[in-house]
Amino acid sequence: MTWVEKYRPKSFSDIKGQDLAIAKIKEFIENFYLKKLTGKGKKAIIFYGPPGTGKTTLAHVTARETNSEIFELNASDLRNKKNLGMILRPAIEQKPLLKQNKIILVDEVDGLSATDRGGLPELLDLISTTRYPIIITANDIWDRKFSQLRKEAELVNLKEVEYSTIKEILIFILRKENSFLDNKILTTISLKAKGDIRAAINDLQTIASAKNFSPEEFYERNKETDIFNVMRTIFKNNPAKEMENLFDSVNMPIDEIALWFEENIPIEYSNKEELAKAINSLANADLFKGRIYKKQYWRFLVYQNIFLSYGISAAKKEKRMNFTSYKKPTRILKIWLHNQRTEKKKSIAEKYAHYSHIGHKRAMHEFPVIKQIITKPEIAKELKLTDEEIEYLNKSF
């Protein structure tokens, strides 16, 4: 189990840094059942704020604290009127099966369409007729399309959590895990999380389980934030000359930026024509990359930037207003996993090459034969293989 799940708050007292939001949801639930008889009062509440601030967690904790069933759906999966009517309407009409009350959670409402297929109007209609409180979460609720929704719901802003509060949470988790990290590293994790508790805990678990970790190697989270903003600008807005300089503000190699677009173009462009144009621009960028590497024509870098930015943006037919959840490139993960799998093999080959006076490349090439020999305890001891390296040899048979 990940530490994010293991230490997910179970009660209001477990939630740190959101005291005002907790007070608001308590008041809302209490007033909902008092005012239901009179037909007055708002029937929905919106938690909005940056990712990782605990919007969804607060909804689940509220259900637990009020002895309520929770019916959860992700709005991005139910974009239109038909789907919302088929799934959400029965939920707001049927009585709870096992608990005293029920809470309806509409997660990531940013994914609902405004008028084209009726998703948002249908949600507004369901709010007006619901028998149970509805909790809605959103990253950005101030989009113009949500103007009517804002009038029908109470708004609660979950702000970025202070780094000192995040640090206290990390220390608590480390104590529970009987683990220790240097205070400087904890401060770095807390600051770079930028209010995202979930991100901070994920980084904590990664670092706590890593060996020979140094703060200098810490993955800078602001790089991901920057690339997300850049992709959003290119994917959502009309093409503009200024896009050619967008990558200057991203502290990331151009080749890695290309991998981000390769991963997310199919997510953003569902239309076949738009997808083909975007992929063609990506291919042209890769073509100029090859010319740069082969001929050292670095003046071609400007063309690579143009195809990655202006070219991909120009693939769409019109400006987009919908919300898209972008993903980290899987190819980067695959490269990392491959390196992790071959790390032990390389270290064993280096030790064998040094001991037998042969080249490291030859040791790697002949590794299938070499491993037959070095699994013998006396030879493993002579090569000073670690327990992890011996375990790797035994698993590779």
Side-chain angles (χ1 to χ4, degrees), residues 180-189 192 203-204 206-220:
F180 174 82
L181 280 180
D182 183 79
N183 184 65
K184 182 180 177 181
I185 297 176
L186 290 176
T187 301
T188 303
I189 296 173
K192 288 187 178 293
D203 284 340
L204 179 73
T206 300
I207 294 168
S209 60
K211 295 183 179 180
N212 303 319
F213 174 81
S214 62
E216 290 75 19
E217 297 171 353
F218 181 63
Y219 183 80
E220 296 183 6

Side-chain angles (χ1 to χ4, degrees), residues 8-12 15 21-22 25 29 45-47 53-72 102-107 133-137 158:
R8 188 178 293 277
K10 302 293 191 300
S11 63
F12 286 136
I15 299 175
I22 293 172
I25 187 61
I29 295 295
I45 187 169
I46 300 174
F47 295 151
T53 49
K55 301 184 290 293
T56 305
T57 295
L58 180 54
H60 282 272
V61 168
T62 301
R64 183 187 291 267
E65 290 274 14
T66 57
N67 191 30
S68 302
E69 290 180 1
I70 187 163
F71 179 85
E72 179 179 357
K102 180 190 287 188
I103 286 176
I104 309 297
L105 171 60
V106 181
D107 213 9
I134 296 178
I135 297 177
I136 300 168
T137 71
L158 273 73

Side-chain angles (χ1 to χ4, degrees), residues 287-298 300:
L287 182 66
F288 278 99
K289 168 190 167 184
R291 291 172 178 172
I292 292 169
Y293 283 9
K294 187 176 182 179
K295 301 291 187 178
Q296 294 296 295
Y297 291 165
W298 291 100
F300 284 165

Side-chain angles (χ1 to χ4, degrees), residues 116-129:
D116 56 337
R117 286 175 289 174
L120 199 50
E122 178 70 5
L123 177 60
L124 289 167
D125 182 59
L126 292 172
I127 289 174
S128 66
T129 60

Side-chain angles (χ1 to χ4, degrees), residues 96-113:
L97 297 175
L98 302 175
K99 300 291 182 68
Q100 181 179 354
N101 297 309
K102 180 190 287 188
I103 286 176
I104 309 297
L105 171 60
V106 181
D107 213 9
E108 297 181 357
V109 76
D110 312 67
L112 275 180
S113 57

Side-chain angles (χ1 to χ4, degrees), residues 330-384:
T330 54
R331 281 179 62 184
I332 293 178
L333 178 60
K334 289 177 181 177
I335 292 170
W336 182 84
L337 290 173
H338 174 74
N339 290 339
Q340 289 294 105
R341 286 194 294 266
T342 59
E343 183 182 8
K344 298 292 185 297
K345 180 180 177 180
K346 289 178 180 178
S347 63
I348 295 170
E350 285 178 1
K351 291 178 180 179
Y352 181 85
H354 177 75
Y355 187 84
S356 57
H357 305 288
I358 64 173
H360 176 251
K361 288 186 177 179
R362 179 181 172 184
M364 287 290 288
H365 181 70
E366 297 177 355
F367 194 82
V369 177
I370 292 172
K371 71 179 182 181
Q372 304 283 345
I373 304 170
I374 59 181
T375 50
K376 295 179 181 179
E378 61 271 22
I379 298 179
K381 183 178 180 181
E382 189 73 16
L383 293 177
K384 297 180 180 179

